[in-house]
Amino acid sequence: MSSQTLSKFLHDNLEDLKSQGLYNVIDPLESGNGPVIRIGGRELVNLSSNNYLGLATDERLISACVAATTAAGVGAGAVRTINGTLSVHVELEKKLAEFKHTEAAIVFQSGFNCNMGAISAVMDTNDAILSDELNHASIIDGCRLSRAKIIRYKHSDMDDLRRVAHEAKSSGLYNKVMVITDGVFSMDGDIAKLPEIIDIAEEYDLITYVDDAHGSGVLGNGAGTVKHFGLSDKVDFQIGTLSKAIGVVGGYVAGKQELIDWLKVRARPFLFSTSMTPGSAAACITALDILMTSTELQERLWDNGNYFKQGLNRLGFDIGHSETPITPCIIGEEVLTQTFSRRLYEEGIYAKSIVFPTVPKGTGRVRNMPTSAHTREMLDRALAIYEKVGRELSIIS
Ligand SMILES: *Cc1c(COP(=O)(O)O)cnc(C)c1O
């Protein structure tokens, strides 16, 4: 017998979501997550994946994954601190430190896990965290888990950050104060104002934490937002994911040796969740080798991003103020945004609509992620569909 209270809770809430059109139906891909995907037997130009450099389906990574799996098995068999640390994990951490120009790095099973572990390993109830209001959900949850006082500042508003930093410091209430931000904000594609953030952090002695999930592999010749601004030795925590531009799965912190030593004894997902598979770790090493020896993929990514932005702009769409290849197409009203996205889907584009509460009311958008793996033919096909659907729904004239 299952709990009646639970059944009622689930049923009522699911019906409620469905009636509001907020229930997310997940369509499985019948192909890999490449620039063109197959869903329900149809081919669609894929503008929704974070696979910025096409590495998720790269032959070199696949070979490395297969070789490591053959050599060491499909699973690591234990958590890192018991006997789940294989030499391939140590090699990956060394490679990440090199990639990020830091003394050391620690690998987690995902970027989400990394934020769960890293923040609470250093912050507690006697501390405060200054957090950009648009920070990623995993940062927000990681902050909550630490039980530090969370003080939000207005998105990329440096006067507001200075104000909260001053208040937190002068209140005398907190032992440690941290400022935490995404490196690249994924809904608009804008870049955090790191030089100003670092100045304020130095003035008020703040711990600095930059989650560069969308910047690594994209900015700073691949090394990310911190490198882009030449601040590699000024940021305490450089967080990244191995699941976006790197194309595999996993997360990491890069920083000073003592910080990494501490995380290895205090970050709970590192201590209590089995380490990433040998195949994934080996594929990540190959991806980092590719990124550290050539900028060809980044160049193609930026070319494609610029090409697609110019195309949408020429058609008369509002593409916001992105500073990266992420290309929002802002439609505005929520229902129209969803209709637009559905029509794109019917015509052959996979691009997700993003509406309130993920973004403010009236700024609904379809977010496009052109990658280095798209050909001009694919992008032209997508632009032709945008034009057709945009005219049909009177979004462009
Ligand atoms: C995607 C993302 C994560 C989560 O990374 P996963 O490796 O997918 O768990 C964390 N932080 C930010 C800023 C992200 O964009």
Side-chain angles (χ1 to χ4, degrees):
M1 244 300 267
S2 63
S3 154
Q4 291 200 358
T5 323
L6 175 64
S7 300
K8 182 166 168 24
F9 166 82
L10 296 174
H11 182 77
D12 290 355
N13 284 290
L14 283 168
E15 288 308 310
D16 192 37
L17 282 182
K18 285 175 191 168
S19 72
Q20 292 181 59
L22 295 176
Y23 183 74
N24 188 22
V25 179
I26 300 171
D27 313 305
L29 273 59
E30 292 145 9
S31 61
N33 206 335
V36 172
I37 51 177
R38 200 169 51 251
I39 296 175
R42 293 172 59 233
E43 303 244 303
L44 299 141
V45 178
N46 179 13
L47 290 170
S48 281
S49 96
N50 299 317
N51 180 21
Y52 288 110
L53 303 175
L55 291 172
T57 53
D58 187 286
E59 291 297 335
R60 295 164 289 184
L61 273 70
I62 295 170
S63 300
C65 179
V66 170
T69 305
T70 305
V74 291
V79 301
R80 289 287 303 274
T81 47
I82 310 247
N83 61 2
T85 295
L86 280 60
S87 52
V88 72
H89 296 120
V90 177
E91 195 189 331
L92 174 57
E93 287 171 339
K94 269 179 71 179
K95 192 75 77 179
L96 280 166
E98 203 186 316
F99 178 57
K100 287 286 168 178
H101 309 275
T102 58
E103 287 175 13
I106 173 176
V107 165
F108 292 84
Q109 306 85 348
S110 73
F112 200 105
N113 255 354
C114 177
N115 283 329
M116 292 307 107
I119 303 168
S120 53
V122 295
M123 304 302 281
D124 62 36
T125 45
N126 301 312
D127 301 324
I129 302 174
L130 316 179
S131 176
D132 188 290
E133 64 182 348
L134 294 190
N135 277 342
H136 187 260
S138 62
I139 298 179
I140 296 168
D141 288 7
C143 290
R144 285 186 184 144
L145 200 55
S146 76
R147 294 154 78 203
K149 170 80 177 169
I150 300 164
I151 304 169
R152 301 201 317 169
Y153 62 90
K154 292 199 192 101
H155 175 53
S156 281
D157 182 332
M158 294 300 108
D159 291 336
D160 204 38
L161 173 59
R162 186 179 293 281
R163 179 183 67 79
V164 292
H166 183 79
E167 276 177 22
K169 274 293 178 180
S170 58
S171 73
L173 289 172
Y174 309 111
N175 289 344
K176 304 193 266 330
V177 182
M178 171 186 274
V179 57
I180 190 160
T181 182
D182 276 35
V184 170
F185 292 87
S186 61
M187 295 304 149
D188 290 290
D190 54 321
I191 303 172
K193 294 177 180 159
L194 288 187
E196 290 96 324
I197 292 175
I198 297 299
D199 280 348
I200 295 170
E202 287 185 341
E203 187 178 336
Y204 291 99
D205 184 32
L206 310 177
I207 300 166
T208 48
Y209 189 111
V210 178
D211 180 349
D212 205 25
H214 285 274
S216 288
V218 175
L219 286 164
N221 281 335
T225 311
V226 173
K227 177 75 186 340
H228 169 74
F229 288 116
L231 296 167
S232 299
D233 56 345
K234 303 231 165 166
V235 173
D236 295 309
F237 288 76
Q238 289 197 54
I239 311 305
T241 174
L242 298 164
S243 64
K244 289 177 177 144
I246 304 297
V248 193
V249 72
Y252 58 90
V253 184
K256 288 255 181 339
Q257 185 67 51
E258 278 195 331
L259 171 67
I260 304 308
D261 290 345
W262 178 249
L263 294 176
K264 285 187 171 178
V265 295
R266 277 294 179 278
R268 290 169 70 84
F270 187 87
L271 301 173
F272 298 111
S273 181
T274 299
S275 37
M276 73 193 298
T277 65
S280 297
C284 291
I285 292 169
T286 301
L288 293 170
D289 282 335
I290 293 169
L291 288 187
M292 287 193 286
T293 47
S294 160
T295 54
E296 188 195 325
L297 293 175
Q298 279 100 43
E299 282 158 24
R300 219 181 303 154
L301 166 67
W302 282 84
D303 278 352
N304 280 344
N306 290 334
Y307 183 78
F308 196 68
K309 276 184 185 160
Q310 280 158 17
L312 285 183
N313 203 19
R314 203 163 39 235
L315 290 172
F317 287 103
D318 174 3
I319 57 166
H321 307 285
S322 173
E323 301 169 272
T324 61
I326 296 172
T327 306
C329 179
I330 298 164
I331 306 295
E333 201 265 323
E334 286 68 34
V335 174
L336 182 60
T337 307
Q338 274 159 345
T339 307
F340 186 76
S341 167
R342 199 192 63 241
R343 285 290 298 128
L344 291 177
Y345 180 78
E346 288 163 1
E347 295 291 332
I349 295 181
Y350 195 92
K352 277 279 185 189
S353 60
I354 297 170
V355 295
F356 180 80
T358 309
V359 293
K361 271 215 170 85
T363 69
R365 68 208 49 204
V366 172
R367 189 182 52 165
N368 302 282
M369 320 279 266
T371 72
S372 65
H374 287 90
T375 61
R376 284 293 151 94
E377 185 278 323
M378 293 170 194
L379 296 177
D380 286 339
R381 202 187 329 159
L383 289 168
I385 296 172
Y386 258 95
E387 181 172 16
K388 176 177 174 189
V389 175
R391 292 237 165 89
E392 175 189 304
L393 296 176
S394 304
I395 291 160
I396 53 169
S397 50

